[in-house]
Amino acid sequence: MRNEVPETSKRVLLLGGTGDALAIARALPAAHVYSLAGLARVPGDLACAVRVGGFGGIDGLVRYLRAENIALVVDATHPYAAQMSRHAHDACALADVPLWAVRRPAWQPQPGDDWRDASDWREIVERIASFHRPLFTLGREALVHLHEIPASQRWTIRCLEAHPGNERAKIIDARGPFDLEGERALLNAANIDVVVSKNSGGRATEPKLVAARERGLPVVMLTRPSLPDADRTFDDAASARDALLRWLDRIHTSET
Ligand code: NAP
């Protein structure tokens, strides 16, 4: 697909770190830029340029947009990467660059689900207090609390980091997508009695919710942060990618 997309002097900055962003990045020609915070794996097989690391706040991003001749920013960051989304919104307003955003719809509870909302770490700790074998799927956040694990609990933490854990915590260094069979096996093997999750939306990490429902386990769900508006928003990567390819085509036509 990328060979069919014409080149243009106006560049797109795609903010990523998610599977959605990678799917869009695969359609971007060489002139455009895919930006990662540095948490996720850096793909080596893209036609577009890849840059890694922060911009230095809103001011740094404004400077970057101007210096790199960016004509469109696409925010396809994780729904909990609220700071980056806010910075993109503010920097685009200051630099007068349009902003598009992929805003994955949140998961909704299904019949049989027992979800318990938590708005921060303190509330998560309260919600899991009566359980013994929580599974944390929040990313790295839980790792900074390893010294706080009560004697009554054994934690399983799945995140993108190889970490030795401790006598009360086992760390599973694994990257999604995760399938239902694997999630069933994990809940069973670790004797999990409560799952702690972000409401990330999308398919890649949804099977843990199905596995929890099947076992009648509660899920403590970290509340989503609020995200800024964008000039255009898309529910999924495919619709954002298709709109982006049409945008590139129009820009190319207007330049030739
Ligand atoms: P964040 O708190 O919104 O961003 C923190 C800073 O990281 C930003 O201010 C920016 O630094 C830099 N940054 C973030 N995304 C960037 C990008 N695509 N390109 C360049 N710089 C970027 O987000 P986060 O720390 O990345 O993650 C917050 C939450 O999202 C965590 O819970 C994490 O588990 C989840 N998450 C993030 C990613 C990811 O790849 N970012 C993937 C999956 C899940 P400057 O201010 O210096 O520009």
Side-chain angles (χ1 to χ4, degrees):
M1 176 177 297
R2 66 174 68 125
N3 292 335
E4 296 161 15
V5 182
E7 291 293 352
T8 162
S9 63
K10 293 188 173 166
R11 308 177 75 199
V12 173
L13 172 64
L14 171 65
L15 300 171
T18 58
D20 286 343
L22 184 58
I24 300 169
R26 292 202 181 286
L28 276 182
H32 309 286
V33 186
Y34 179 41
S35 177
L36 293 164
L39 307 173
R41 187 172 41 201
V42 179
D45 59 346
L46 298 179
C48 66
V50 179
R51 68 167 297 288
V52 179
F55 297 95
I58 298 167
D59 293 347
L61 183 52
V62 169
R63 281 194 296 277
Y64 181 89
L65 297 178
R66 290 183 174 142
E68 299 295 328
N69 199 27
I70 302 296
L72 175 66
V73 174
V74 180
D75 172 10
T77 56
H78 192 269
Y80 286 70
Q83 180 168 304
M84 188 67 248
S85 291
R86 275 197 303 274
H87 287 189
H89 173 272
D90 293 358
C92 283
L94 288 166
D96 198 20
V97 171
L99 172 68
W100 293 2
V102 181
R103 300 277 190 245
R104 239 189 261 162
W107 292 315
Q108 300 300 327
Q110 305 296 313
D113 280 337
D114 174 8
W115 289 10
R116 304 167 185 201
D117 292 342
S119 58
D120 56 19
W121 180 260
R122 188 186 56 78
E123 285 194 3
I124 288 172
V125 170
E126 280 174 19
R127 303 280 185 272
I128 65 169
S130 61
F131 296 93
H132 303 289
R133 311 282 307 207
L135 167 65
F136 289 88
T137 60
L138 295 171
R140 292 169 188 166
E141 280 87 333
L143 295 180
V144 301
H145 300 282
L146 291 182
H147 59 288
E148 300 165 16
I149 303 175
S152 61
Q153 292 184 343
R154 294 291 176 275
W155 290 8
T156 302
I157 298 170
R158 182 169 66 194
C159 64
L160 290 176
E161 187 159 315
H163 189 291
N166 64 26
E167 68 284 356
R168 292 186 187 158
K170 181 179 177 200
I171 318 300
I172 300 173
D173 175 15
R175 176 185 303 279
F178 301 106
D179 65 26
L180 183 55
E181 277 309 307
E183 298 299 62
R184 284 174 177 146
L186 171 61
L187 297 187
N188 193 39
N191 202 16
I192 298 300
D193 58 3
V194 61
V195 175
V196 184
S197 179
K198 291 176 179 161
N199 193 333
S200 299
R203 294 275 173 83
T205 57
E206 194 179 15
K208 66 186 165 194
L209 302 178
V210 180
R213 187 182 309 135
E214 287 175 354
R215 289 174 77 88
L217 299 185
V219 176
V220 175
M221 196 65 91
L222 183 64
T223 312
R224 272 192 174 203
S226 63
L227 297 175
D229 292 337
D231 296 298
R232 289 187 71 176
T233 56
F234 303 89
D235 278 357
D236 56 51
S239 50
R241 183 199 57 212
D242 293 350
L244 189 53
L245 294 179
R246 288 194 296 275
W247 185 91
L248 289 169
D249 210 31
R250 271 203 311 279
I251 292 287
H252 174 71
T253 307
S254 70
E255 284 181 346
T256 51

